[in-house]
Amino acid sequence: MSQIEVHNPFTGEQVFSQPSENVEVINRRIDAAQQASRAWRAISPAERARHLLAALDYFRGHGDAIAEGITREVGKPLAAAKEELTFMLERAEYLCRFAADGALEARRHPEYEDEGFEGRIECRAKGVVYIITPWNYPLFCAINGTVCALLSGNAVVLKHSTAPSVGGHFEQAFGSMAGIDHLLTHAVVDYEVSARIIEETDINHVVFTGSVQGGRVVQQSVAKRAFNAVPEPFIQCSLELGGSDAAYIAEDADLEQAAFWAVKIGRLHNSGQSCCAVKRVFVHASRYDDFLARAQAIMESEKSGDPMAPETTLGPLHGGERAVTGLLEMVRQAQDGGARVCTGGETEQIGGVTFLKPTLLAEVTPTMQVLQEETFGPVLPVMQVANDDEAVQQVRNSRYGLTASIFTRSRERVERFVAQVDTGTVYVNRCNFVDARLCWIGQRASGNGSLALAPEGLQALSARKSVNLDPSLLK
């Protein structure tokens, strides 16, 4: 078995090392999880929600240690790690509220019933949900699937090898509730074992958050499973993948607000390492120069450095020198094609680590790689457009379909934009802002349209059962 190792992106120190667990060990834990699910699903959703709310106290009591572990493992600035924990708790509380308020209750359509027909559709637990979660938002991405799965009556096997301390904390918090053990187990496994878990073991659903290529690999394993001797050969997978999210700054936008959201929150949050970060900006010609000036000022106010330092706003890129080099290559390619670097475009050395200075590109054109590919870092290309129609055309000019955003004062313009763009989420006068009250959905290369969060997220991790009755013979 391969060795799972994690190094601090800033210091280079090894912070985790463990051999990958083998599939036989994980299989025994999945069997225990199936038994746990059968006991857990007998409890009402509202009661499950009460147990989960109580389990969240673990995170409140260990908040500092959790945030520091995240900073050591993935390089997220400590203040941002603490912020992620705060909003993770809020997100989980909303999901518990949905369960308590009846999100999983049987659905009826009495307006279509008659004296010879009565029916309902019930949401039932699937069994064991295998959740593979990434490094960039170790709490957010883990909580989305985990809480939805548990509230729906399932047990969870969580693979969090890129931020293993978080996986351990999740097991501590949710592993035993209501006197039932093995409700959540953290699996430290390599890619080969992970594939075998999907292909060979008694799981019932896969949730994957990560790259497009990672999504392809997961879907291939789900397809292979159909030919293996497993209790449930045909399972669903929920794929939440990358994005090249666009923002449109319309002629009537509040520029101060638009620049703050699109640049500070949309592009630079988490050092630009977010699937739904703003990676392309299209600005109406009448506001182009003003927006660039504001965007440049925001970028030049950022502070790269030691993620443990309170003044640091941008931590090291998770992929290290390779990630910096890849982004610089796209910047140079854009320059060769006529783009102008307004600020950044070069590296700086801090504590022996290479940082890419926040980079603003103007005069970009649609065919440039920096507009076509997902940029995971602090690089923002900005293109001028003549009108709303051209903006929509450019927003749609992508294989991805995660989010898009528009900044305007016109509701009419908003509704036209919403109708014309094909993304799972459309933001209006904000961006890069995931709210538990709405579904998180990917389209096209950004995912398979699976649902996370909101009441629908609980239903998406449930099995459906139709109950068809002839009421005429029933007392």
Side-chain angles (χ1 to χ4, degrees), residues 119-398:
R120 65 181 185 270
I121 299 175
E122 298 180 353
C123 286
R124 309 295 293 272
K126 288 192 168 190
V128 174
V129 178
Y130 180 41
I131 299 176
I132 306 169
T133 197
W135 54 267
N136 57 336
Y137 287 95
L139 294 172
F140 283 163
C141 294
I143 206 72
N144 291 357
T146 292
V147 172
C148 284
L150 289 169
L151 287 170
S152 302
N154 303 292
V156 170
V157 174
L158 175 65
K159 177 184 182 291
H160 212 326
S161 300
T162 50
S165 68
V166 174
H169 288 303
F170 268 67
E171 186 171 294
Q172 287 290 319
F174 302 124
S176 180
M177 294 182 289
I180 304 169
D181 295 330
H182 311 296
L183 282 172
L184 185 147
T185 184
H186 178 220
V188 180
V189 297
D190 59 22
Y191 295 124
E192 179 184 349
V193 175
S194 183
R196 290 187 63 190
I197 290 171
I198 298 171
E199 296 165 18
E200 301 173 16
T201 69
D202 189 17
I203 60 169
N204 307 97
H205 193 107
V206 181
V207 176
F208 174 81
T209 305
S211 68
V212 173
Q213 181 57 31
R216 291 191 182 102
V217 172
V218 168
Q219 190 134 19
Q220 286 172 347
S221 287
V222 171
K224 289 179 183 178
R225 178 188 179 87
F227 298 94
N228 291 335
V230 288
E232 189 173 353
F234 302 105
I235 64 172
Q236 293 177 303
C237 61
S238 302
L239 301 176
E240 300 296 338
L241 311 177
S244 184
D245 304 52
Y248 171 42
I249 316 298
E251 59 185 317
D252 63 342
D254 179 325
L255 270 191
E256 182 176 359
Q257 182 207 39
F260 171 78
W261 274 99
V263 183
K264 175 69 176 177
I265 305 300
R267 175 67 277 188
L268 298 178
H269 191 264
N270 202 29
S271 306
Q273 300 171 116
S274 172
C275 59
C276 60
V278 170
K279 302 180 181 78
R280 305 175 290 145
V281 175
F282 303 101
V283 184
H284 191 276
S286 64
R287 316 302 298 277
Y288 186 68
D289 291 337
D290 197 355
F291 177 83
L292 285 174
R294 291 171 186 268
Q296 181 172 340
I298 291 171
M299 285 192 156
E300 291 177 350
S301 70
E302 293 294 300
K303 175 71 173 174
S304 298
D306 182 351
M308 285 290 186
E311 67 272 15
T312 296
T313 59
L314 300 179
L317 294 184
H318 190 263
E321 195 87 32
R322 178 174 49 82
V324 172
T325 299
L327 288 168
L328 270 177
E329 285 176 356
M330 283 196 273
V331 171
R332 301 290 178 252
Q333 197 176 73
Q335 286 181 285
D336 291 343
R340 172 170 59 90
V341 174
C342 301
T343 188
E346 58 186 14
T347 62
E348 57 182 333
Q349 294 290 317
I350 304 172
V353 175
T354 302
F355 287 79
L356 175 63
K357 291 182 178 180
T359 300
L360 182 66
L361 287 169
E363 278 84 68
V364 295
T365 57
T367 58
M368 291 178 178
Q369 187 182 16
V370 75
L371 276 180
Q372 291 296 318
E373 297 301 322
E374 180 176 30
T375 50
F376 235 58
V379 175
L380 184 63
V382 182
M383 177 178 163
Q384 177 177 283
V385 293
N387 49 47
D388 294 354
D389 289 341
E390 184 182 1
V392 168
Q393 179 185 3
Q394 293 305 325
V395 169
R396 291 170 58 99
N397 183 24
S398 173

Side-chain angles (χ1 to χ4, degrees), residues 2-6 16-21 161 188-191:
S2 63
Q3 193 79 4
I4 308 296
E5 294 184 351
V6 177
F16 181 84
S17 180
Q18 178 183 314
S20 171
E21 298 174 287
S161 300
V188 180
V189 297
D190 59 22
Y191 295 124

